[in-house]
Amino acid sequence: MPGGPPPRVVVAGGHSAGHIEPAMNFADALRRLEPTAEITALGTVRGLDTTLVPARGYPLELIPPAPLPRRPNRALLQTPGRLRDSVRAAEAVLDRVRAEVVVGFGGYVAMPAYLAARRQGLPIVVHEANARPGVANRVAARMTTHVFTAAPSVRLAHATAIGIPLRPAITRLDRPALREAARRRFGLRPDGPVLMVTGGSQGARSINAAVSGAAAALRATGVQVLHITGPQHVVEAPDRDPADPPYVIMPYVDEMQYAYAAADFVICRSGAMTCAELAAVGLPTAYVPLPLRGGEQRLNAEPVIAAGGALLVDDADIDPTWIETTLIPVLTDPERIAKMSAHASAAGAPDADVILAGHVLTTVAEQRSIASRGSE
């Protein structure tokens, strides 16, 4: 920050990629706005914290996990003691790094971080990526007025909708410019519709079975397929002649911007990050919500579906017949795909990372101003 010491920020968003990824994207944006910023991530040994956070280049401080049960059970009786230990550990980290603000994204690590920040009188900034907020963010939203959400429909106290922090590789993606190179990368033809299939990082058995079962119908209508199965799933490559449209099978793709650039349409689950990324790049999608967690994934997809940029199909209804009778007519209609792409783009929010980073810097500046006046 001009003329002052670097801002000292602690981010808390652990366990799953859905919490960690927006936290790291925010941290990257903060560094772009203020290169001197000292950013520390809080995490636990559970989940993906120790893998994903160091890979992004940020120091990680571990505290004991304190998961909050969704319903009364034996684990609930152990929660107060675990949470107390976790809050104390979080306070020790805040003291050690001389934190000026805590920015939370939910997950196991968020609740102790919020409580530790409140005990120390530090400002709290909350971001909720999901359509249905978790327990930690619902509690924290009543501790602070600095609350941000993915969409206006998210019910959270003091909320301002800004979207989800995404990587510049996604938000700045020029799909038409990268299209030819991206298709070459995956062994796809430069012309003809491409359907991208993915079930997220772990894959989705129902989606895999439906699309692979419709391989002959897709081939007959000239549709190419980029099928990302997930590392734990095996999909047999369909029989095809060299003259047939490619059906490319991959267990995992590291740099998803290339897959997005190669595709004309996507069929996938509707996790919050997936919905945000596909809207940001303007990709029409058929969403198949995970039929668990109280229908949360269906809620994530609703804004872009309402905007006309996506289709919705229940997990119980996704099968080769649905692909043949409902999806293929869309895939082979360039005019409809173009309209859906425009509607998807209109539902996107590509600058959430910068908006959130700017607000956090403003919050630190205001806190310093208050402290300065108090010392006069």
Side-chain angles (χ1 to χ4, degrees):
M1 300 175 75
R8 298 181 295 276
V9 179
V10 168
V11 295
H15 185 66
S16 70
H19 293 122
I20 299 169
E21 185 72 13
M24 296 295 94
N25 295 340
F26 153 76
D28 289 347
L30 187 66
R31 278 272 174 84
R32 293 197 304 273
L33 292 182
E34 180 47 73
T36 67
E38 296 176 2
I39 303 168
T40 304
L42 276 184
T44 73
V45 293
R46 297 180 65 167
L48 299 173
D49 308 41
T50 56
T51 301
L52 297 184
V53 174
R56 297 290 286 267
Y58 293 99
L60 174 66
E61 294 278 354
L62 297 176
I63 63 175
L68 302 176
R70 292 179 178 269
R71 61 188 63 181
N73 55 26
R74 183 175 296 178
L76 183 62
L77 300 177
Q78 300 172 320
T79 296
R82 288 176 175 171
L83 185 59
R84 181 177 59 250
D85 293 343
S86 195
V87 171
R88 287 174 177 167
E91 279 197 275
V93 174
L94 298 183
D95 284 337
R96 189 159 58 250
V97 302
R98 296 181 299 137
E100 295 181 281
V101 62
V102 168
V103 186
F105 294 82
Y108 288 162
V109 75
M111 180 67 87
Y114 294 144
L115 294 175
R118 189 179 192 189
R119 287 174 63 166
Q120 295 197 356
L122 296 177
I124 298 168
V125 178
V126 176
H127 184 276
E128 177 58 63
N130 291 298
R132 183 169 288 159
V135 173
N137 281 355
R138 291 204 306 271
V139 172
R142 301 190 178 280
M143 300 180 188
T144 179
T145 58
H146 306 294
V147 181
F148 300 89
T149 61
S153 59
V154 181
R155 295 182 179 179
L156 208 56
H158 309 118
T160 298
I162 62 169
I164 300 176
L166 303 173
R167 291 171 291 138
I170 299 300
T171 58
R172 298 175 187 173
L173 177 62
D174 186 337
R175 286 175 53 221
L178 191 58
R179 177 187 177 104
E180 185 174 345
R183 290 192 171 191
R184 277 201 310 270
R185 184 186 186 98
F186 297 113
L188 297 164
R189 295 174 181 172
D191 299 316
V194 171
L195 171 65
M196 185 185 108
V197 185
T198 176
S201 60
Q202 299 305 310
R205 189 182 307 276
S206 57
I207 297 175
N208 287 343
V211 178
S212 61
L218 290 161
R219 179 174 62 239
T221 52
V223 176
Q224 306 179 76
V225 178
L226 174 58
H227 195 148
I228 307 167
T229 63
Q232 306 302 318
H233 297 267
V234 176
V235 172
E236 295 296 330
D239 294 331
R240 55 179 290 268
D241 294 326
D244 290 335
Y247 192 116
V248 178
I249 297 175
M250 305 186 73
Y252 186 76
V253 171
D254 242 345
E255 298 178 284
M256 283 298 291
Q257 67 268 27
Y258 291 102
Y260 293 160
D264 296 296
F265 202 98
V266 180
I267 181 167
C268 62
R269 294 296 192 202
S270 50
M273 286 297 294
T274 298
C275 292
E277 289 192 351
L278 292 174
V281 301
L283 261 171
T285 306
Y287 284 118
V288 189
L290 189 69
L292 299 173
R293 301 178 185 172
E296 177 183 292
Q297 284 206 352
R298 178 181 290 264
L299 297 176
N300 291 336
E302 280 183 353
V304 70
I305 292 168
L311 307 176
L312 180 72
V313 55
D314 288 337
D315 191 76
D317 297 331
I318 186 72
D319 60 15
T321 300
W322 187 89
I323 301 294
E324 295 174 25
T325 60
T326 302
L327 188 56
I328 286 178
V330 178
L331 297 175
T332 53
D333 185 345
E335 185 175 338
R336 183 169 181 187
I337 284 183
K339 288 180 179 178
M340 290 184 71
S341 179
H343 293 320
S345 293
D351 55 356
D353 58 341
V354 175
I355 292 174
L356 186 60
H359 184 85
V360 169
L361 290 175
T362 299
T363 300
V364 170
E366 290 174 348
Q367 189 75 359
R368 289 179 178 181
S369 178
I370 293 170
S372 176
R373 289 198 300 269
S375 64
E376 290 177 357

